[in-house]
Amino acid sequence: MSLTALPRIELHHHLEGAAPPALIRDMARARHVDISGIFGPDGGYFCRDFPQFLDIYEAATSVLQGPGDYARLTAAVLEQAAAQGVVYLETFLSPDFCGGRDLTAWREYLHAIEEAAAAAEAAHGITLRGIVTCIRHFGPDKARQTALCAAETAGPFIVGFGIAGNETAGHPRDFAWAFDMAREAGLGLTAHAGEWGGPQSVRDALSDLRVDRIGHGVRAIEDPALVEHLVETGIVLEICPGSNIALGLYPDWRSHPIERLRKAGVKLTVSTDDPPFFRTSMTREYDRLADAFGWDEDVFAQINRVALDAAFCDADTRAAIAKKLEPADV
Ligand code: ADE
Ligand code: ZN
């Protein structure tokens, strides 16, 4: 089987962050919103660094103005992900952007997203699950409201709770209440850490938020004792190498620590994060990793098995996805 034919699991992905630029441009035009400054000369999103990325992300998201827009977004994103061989996708969804953390509004957005996901599953064979995500730089009070939305809608579709946004704002302990509430609702937990914060930010997310997975976590490589701890505890890193390189965390693919983490025995997965913002796709991620580190089908198959085990979905979904990962009979 060639790398392109491999079925893929993606666990770290932001729904708005996957919005095709043409869709956002269309919606902006229809709503008479001028966000032309977020696009570069080639029509794609244009960002130089992480603070600018967060601004552009929020500007693009501002044109998504109701459940119908999120249904359109979900359909477009899932069609593209399925074309990249993704069979199971967990995406971050933010009640901050979907109804301003009002529970009734959030339910309406969620209903629209779930309907679009069911249609995409029937048409393209891709399964979507949602991770409700608070935004760190919006502060702990809003995170609490977000966690309530998550707890109220936890179930077969909403399977996790997480935190994204500016990793240098506040401290993980400020968000412990939100994570406790989500844990009590039975949700899987993940936190962005060890991207812009150093290894200590990973330690803090593990001790203060008691997460099962870390979004990025790559800066753990700077602390050998932490790497050992990750190996011992089986904490899974959701690594997005193309995102890290696009945002200047590492100068090139060979410098990225993913291979050193893998060789050390850390459980890790590969995702795109915000694919059009970082000019990437799952195919590009796999191809660059194969070029940089000589990864072959066996390595990618192993990574997808780790992702399957770490997915927050229920047992029936996991069993159905496992079948899709099995090599086809020849
Ligand atoms: N929101 C969307 N993508 C993000 C990322 N890579 N880090 C933090 N917050 C985000
Ligand atoms: Zn992310």
Side-chain angles (χ1 to χ4, degrees):
M1 196 187 278
S2 83
L3 287 185
T4 11
L6 282 174
R8 295 153 184 183
I9 293 182
E10 200 175 355
L11 299 183
H12 189 113
H13 175 276
H14 301 256
L15 187 62
E16 299 90 358
L23 180 80
I24 293 297
R25 226 187 333 270
D26 260 19
M27 288 181 175
R29 203 177 298 121
R31 312 225 140 90
H32 309 288
V33 180
D34 181 12
I35 49 161
S36 49
I38 73 170
F39 300 109
D42 67 350
Y45 298 115
F46 179 73
C47 59
R48 245 175 281 109
D49 54 26
F50 187 60
Q52 194 192 21
F53 161 72
L54 289 176
D55 286 347
I56 288 179
Y57 187 101
E58 282 168 30
T61 301
S62 72
V63 307
L64 298 160
Q65 289 178 0
D69 285 358
Y70 270 82
R72 238 179 110 190
L73 171 65
T74 304
V77 166
L78 290 180
E79 188 180 346
Q80 290 196 344
Q84 292 288 318
V86 177
V87 293
Y88 177 81
L89 175 66
E90 285 181 8
T91 197
F92 296 119
L93 300 170
S94 307
D96 297 88
F97 303 133
C98 299
R101 297 172 304 282
D102 173 80
L103 180 58
T104 306
W106 163 242
R107 285 190 196 281
E108 284 165 15
Y109 277 80
L110 195 53
H111 180 69
I113 293 167
E114 282 196 60
E115 269 195 352
E121 182 153 10
H124 311 296
I126 180 171
T127 300
L128 181 72
R129 294 292 182 263
I131 299 176
V132 172
T133 303
C134 60
I135 313 286
R136 189 154 161 173
H137 54 273
F138 292 176
D141 290 344
K142 289 180 175 156
R144 283 194 193 100
Q145 296 166 27
T146 302
L148 283 167
C149 288
E152 288 293 330
T153 53
F157 183 78
I158 292 297
V159 293
F161 183 73
I163 184 165
N166 188 348
E167 215 183 289
T168 57
H171 190 278
R173 79 173 81 85
D174 306 335
F175 300 90
W177 189 97
F179 276 75
D180 287 347
M181 153 130 304
R183 187 181 307 102
E184 277 167 32
L187 292 164
L189 302 179
T190 178
H192 281 64
E195 183 190 18
W196 303 104
Q200 188 59 39
S201 71
V202 176
R203 289 184 180 278
D204 291 342
L206 293 174
S207 61
D208 295 343
L209 306 179
R210 293 159 53 205
V211 291
D212 312 293
R213 307 191 322 222
I214 295 281
H216 299 287
V218 286
R219 305 259 323 262
I221 198 69
E222 297 164 25
D223 178 346
L226 176 58
V227 170
E228 210 170 295
H229 178 71
L230 295 175
V231 175
E232 276 166 14
T233 52
I235 296 288
V236 172
L237 302 187
E238 306 154 4
I239 300 190
C240 311
S243 158
N244 299 152
I245 293 159
L247 289 175
L249 201 52
Y250 301 103
D252 53 45
W253 286 77
R254 298 251 342 135
S255 318
H256 195 282
I258 191 168
E259 176 67 337
R260 281 174 284 149
L261 288 163
R262 190 181 77 87
K263 288 253 170 77
V266 175
K267 286 190 179 171
L268 53 89
T269 65
V270 171
S271 299
T272 56
D273 209 4
D274 307 278
F277 285 85
F278 305 136
R279 314 288 173 123
T280 197
S281 65
M282 282 299 264
T283 300
R284 179 172 175 273
E285 298 289 320
Y286 277 40
D287 286 349
R288 292 288 182 278
L289 289 166
D291 290 347
F293 304 117
W295 286 14
D296 58 15
E297 287 157 34
D298 291 342
V299 176
F300 287 109
Q302 170 61 17
I303 277 173
N304 280 302
R305 277 195 297 273
V306 168
L308 181 67
D309 285 347
F312 292 149
C313 60
D314 58 30
D316 287 352
T317 308
R318 199 184 316 281
I321 303 304
K323 284 216 174 71
K324 296 191 181 185
L325 292 190
E326 285 166 12
D329 292 334
V330 276

